[in-house]
Amino acid sequence: MSAHAEHAHEHAHGHDDGVSHSTFKGYMTGFVLAVILTAIPFWLVMTHAFDKSSTTAIVVLAFAAVQMVVHMIYFLHMNAKSEGGWNMLALIFTLVLVVITLAGSIWVMFHLNQNMMPGMMDMKNLP
Amino acid sequence: MSDSHARTMPGERKALRFHLTEEHHPENGTLLGFWLYLMSDCLIFACLFAVYGVLGRNYAGGPTGAEIFELPVVALNTSLLLLSSITYGFAVLEMQRDKLRPMLVWLGITGLLGAGFIFLELQEFAHLIAEGAGPQRSAFLSSFFTLVATHGLHVTFGIIWLITLMVQVGKKGLIPENKRRLMCLSMFWHFLDVVWIGVFSFVYLMGVLP
């Protein structure tokens, strides 16, 4: 076993119950960030800050994405090292599936809707 | 870990070994396993979000999101869930210091905040159904109820789990097994808050946009 691996192993044994690095400061940082990142989109939508709905939608989604990352880091204590990286690997795999599911469904169904306009349902076009 | 055998020092004349002499297993397999469960749960929510994304604007002549969503109630709900996240965090901090009584108090507050969230959500559902905007009204409402109620059901089970753990910790104290269980519930609880970010952004905030 190399010296590096041995060190990592010892380090892992340092935490007897798998509970580590939760600090008051970390939770409070996460909480304050989460409050700000929640309040802004609510404010944007409730005061109709933007004229265009699509702008608001994109900004709201962006805030949601940032807040999810904040929760992951400060509340769920995600990092590339916990559980030997398997946590992160599972998360990345899940994110790939989530993006495919969401983007794929919405894209495909949107196009189906577009192509199912009543005008295209002409009887003479059917076999 | 697997590469450690390949990196044998050139001076060493050891026979190649392809197995580990010591037991090697993750420090705490339960937490990793629970994380994998959460990831699969995440896929359930992804499917429900996709359904809502596809059907969310099919009103069938019924009420639209802008007509039925009450953002102040949603904001209150969001704050309750966010507060319950931080109080669970405080419970974890007390757990790390092996302080049983304050930890139980924080867990109790977390449970009450969660119960408040469920109460407001059920009230909203009852109000919608009474108005004739139940899940059978339109595709939009079907997908809305399915997604939001699945999340609410998760929170409900989280509260039941929380109460169970409070009883267990009260009986057995902060033994390693109970600490492990508390960490699992911590992940579950924070994960539900992450899902709720998606719900209030994608369903409520985007739903009221014209």
Side-chain angles (χ1 to χ4, degrees):
Chain A
M1 199 184 245
S2 73
H4 176 73
E6 223 158 58
H7 174 72
H9 203 67
E10 262 168 28
H11 181 72
H13 273 290
H15 312 296
D16 50 350
D17 43 14
V19 181
S20 58
H21 48 254
S22 301
T23 59
F24 179 74
K25 200 171 156 244
Y27 277 119
M28 280 320 279
T29 315
F31 181 68
V32 170
L33 284 175
V35 168
I36 296 169
L37 291 169
T38 306
I40 294 175
F42 267 98
W43 176 79
L44 283 179
V45 173
M46 286 164 97
T47 59
H48 309 284
F50 296 117
D51 291 334
K52 277 180 75 182
S53 291
S54 53
T55 320
T56 318
I58 290 168
V59 174
V60 164
L61 282 184
F63 271 104
V66 175
Q67 199 187 344
M68 281 178 184
V69 174
V70 166
H71 276 241
M72 284 280 172
I73 293 172
Y74 291 102
F75 291 162
L76 283 162
H77 309 303
M78 270 308 287
N79 59 52
K81 291 195 191 71
S82 62
E83 306 282 359
W86 289 105
N87 265 349
M88 186 55 89
L89 193 69
L91 177 65
I92 292 169
F93 177 55
T94 310
L95 285 181
V96 170
L97 290 184
V98 167
V99 168
I100 293 173
T101 314
L102 278 174
S105 307
I106 292 168
W107 183 31
V108 168
M109 295 309 286
F110 176 76
H111 274 263
L112 267 180
N113 271 345
Q114 292 287 301
N115 296 328
M116 289 291 272
M117 284 313 199
M120 298 181 68
M121 291 291 278
D122 223 347
M123 286 310 281
K124 63 176 183 284
N125 288 340
L126 294 175
Chain B
M1 198 57 75
S2 57
D3 66 343
S4 59
H5 298 286
R7 271 196 267 131
T8 318
M9 290 294 150
E12 287 178 60
R13 308 299 298 162
K14 270 202 275 185
L16 282 176
R17 289 184 292 124
F18 294 100
H19 63 93
L20 293 168
T21 46
E22 78 273 25
E23 267 308 293
H24 183 73
H25 52 86
E27 191 58 26
N28 199 333
T30 311
L31 290 181
L32 177 57
F34 195 75
W35 180 255
L36 293 181
Y37 154 70
L38 286 184
M39 290 300 100
S40 65
D41 220 12
C42 194
L43 295 182
I44 293 179
F45 280 109
C47 293
L48 294 178
F49 271 109
V51 171
Y52 181 81
V54 169
L55 300 175
R57 299 266 164 178
N58 295 0
Y59 303 119
T64 64
E67 286 162 11
I68 57 169
F69 293 154
E70 291 174 48
L71 282 191
V73 179
V74 182
L76 183 60
N77 243 349
T78 306
S79 6
L80 284 181
L81 208 57
L82 193 55
L83 278 172
S84 81
S85 248
I86 188 76
T87 53
Y88 201 106
F90 292 154
V92 168
L93 291 176
E94 297 297 344
M95 179 195 83
Q96 287 176 344
R97 285 187 227 125
D98 284 314
K99 290 194 174 150
L100 183 68
R101 192 70 29 202
M103 195 207 72
L104 285 177
V105 171
W106 281 122
L107 282 186
I109 295 173
T110 309
L112 287 178
L113 289 168
F117 172 85
I118 291 297
F119 174 75
L120 283 178
E121 192 167 288
L122 286 177
Q123 219 177 23
E124 187 198 5
F125 283 180
H127 181 66
L128 286 179
I129 292 168
E131 272 188 337
Q136 72 277 39
R137 180 61 190 85
S138 62
F140 152 63
L141 282 163
S142 302
S143 55
F144 164 78
F145 271 92
T146 313
L147 172 59
V148 181
T150 305
H151 177 269
L153 210 56
H154 275 77
V155 178
T156 310
F157 278 103
I159 296 171
I160 295 171
W161 188 3
L162 188 87
I163 295 168
T164 317
L165 266 185
M166 283 172 74
V167 173
Q168 263 185 317
V169 173
K171 279 198 163 138
K172 305 264 181 184
L174 282 170
I175 52 175
E177 286 82 359
N178 277 343
K179 283 191 178 179
R180 189 189 66 215
R181 291 165 189 151
L182 284 164
M183 285 320 285
C184 282
L185 179 56
S186 165
M187 292 202 296
F188 187 69
W189 200 261
H190 292 311
F191 167 76
L192 289 181
D193 206 10
V194 173
V195 174
W196 182 253
I197 300 171
V199 173
F200 81 69
S201 305
F202 194 62
V203 176
Y204 287 103
L205 290 182
M206 284 172 68
V208 300
L209 294 176

